[in-house]
Amino acid sequence: MTNALVFLDTETTGLHHDRRPWEIALIRREPSGRTSEMQVYVDDVDLSSAELIGLNVGHFYSNHPSFRTDSPMTLHPDHEALELAPDVWLATEAKAATLVERMTRGATIIGNNPGFDVEVLAAMLRRHKLCPAWHYHPIDVVSQALGFLSVLNLKLLGDLLAPELVEDLTPPLKSDKLSKLCGITPPEGDERHTAIGDARWVQRWYDRLSNPFANDEAESEQPQ
């Protein structure tokens, strides 16, 4: 049986062990190909142990609907969630945990360093008495990309091309560089350092690595 795929990313209150998610983005693709997208902002995010540098990297005070100075918004105490736009939610952490559990149940998680996101989301679910039910083996597009580019490098060498054309893939490497080498442009503008922008990036990148000749095939099918 083929699992559903969930491309995901989180923005968190830092890199420390007790970090909390404040923006969560998930794109679920069923085996049939049907795709659904969800973006959740955690309204009551606990900032007591937050790292300011981490908040600033994710533009927390510019992007979070409840903390932006230009249009502050908080939930009414009697409500758990507010739909800001289609598939975009402002929710308590308890409600966010429920949404994430349903969206990821039985799915294979795909991300850019997904261990980081899986750890913080699993902790959130446990805080609200929920069990993470995604597949135990997530897929990291960076690891996939390194394998893809290593094979490509071997082919270049096999074709006796100039050594300077072969990329140095010695770690550490930036995700942006790897993505561009695979032919995928990283998020730009307003999508930069947002969970939804990065989840969409992961989806494009995974699809490119899963079918690297898709563009070539599409072009070859065009009428001459």
Side-chain angles (χ1 to χ4, degrees):
M1 180 178 177
T2 303
N3 285 357
L5 305 178
V6 171
F7 309 94
L8 71 76
D9 190 75
T10 62
E11 293 295 327
T12 67
T13 57
L15 301 179
H16 53 298
H17 176 70
D18 194 31
R19 64 191 181 277
R20 303 298 174 95
W22 61 265
E23 183 194 358
I24 306 163
L26 310 100
I27 303 169
R28 182 176 175 115
R29 181 187 294 165
E30 304 294 346
S32 65
R34 184 174 65 85
T35 300
S36 54
E37 186 173 284
M38 179 181 292
Q39 183 179 7
V40 184
Y41 292 98
V42 179
D43 181 61
D44 56 349
V45 57
D46 183 355
L47 299 179
S48 61
S49 65
E51 297 174 336
L52 183 58
I53 187 171
L55 294 177
N56 288 339
V57 166
H59 306 291
F60 175 81
Y61 292 107
S62 299
N63 291 342
H64 196 299
S66 295
F67 289 85
R68 286 165 42 187
T69 56
D70 60 336
S71 58
M73 182 185 298
T74 55
L75 292 179
H76 188 279
D78 295 335
H79 293 81
E80 285 189 302
L82 175 68
E83 191 170 15
L84 305 179
D87 305 317
V88 181
W89 293 88
L90 177 66
T92 63
E93 189 185 76
K95 181 62 176 180
T98 299
L99 294 171
V100 168
E101 192 279 332
R102 290 178 181 173
M103 194 75 161
T104 58
R105 190 185 302 165
T108 294
I109 303 298
I110 302 174
N112 180 348
N113 186 21
F116 179 89
D117 304 297
V118 166
E119 181 181 46
V120 75
L121 292 180
M124 180 181 73
L125 266 61
R126 297 291 187 190
R127 282 195 295 274
H128 298 283
K129 300 179 174 59
L130 295 172
C131 176
W134 51 74
H135 191 269
Y136 68 91
H137 192 173
I139 295 175
D140 186 351
V141 289
V142 169
S143 297
Q144 274 196 312
L146 284 170
F148 172 80
L149 293 170
S150 296
V151 171
L152 186 61
N153 274 358
L154 289 174
K155 184 179 186 305
L156 290 172
L157 287 172
D159 291 342
L160 300 179
L161 293 178
E164 59 269 19
L165 296 179
V166 180
E167 287 290 338
D168 179 10
L169 300 179
T170 304
L173 288 171
K174 294 288 188 180
S175 297
D176 283 22
K177 178 181 179 181
L178 285 175
S179 183
K180 290 175 182 176
L181 288 173
C182 294
I184 298 299
T185 302
E188 298 175 337
D190 291 341
E191 283 203 328
R192 186 70 179 174
H193 291 303
T194 67
I196 191 62
D198 285 346
R200 291 168 179 162
W201 175 27
V202 165
Q203 182 183 32
R204 295 194 304 272
W205 199 352
Y206 174 82
D207 287 343
R208 170 67 172 170
L209 294 170
S210 299
N211 191 359
F213 303 110
N215 291 338
D216 296 338
E217 292 170 358
E219 291 174 3
S220 66
E221 292 172 0
Q222 295 296 320
Q224 301 297 319

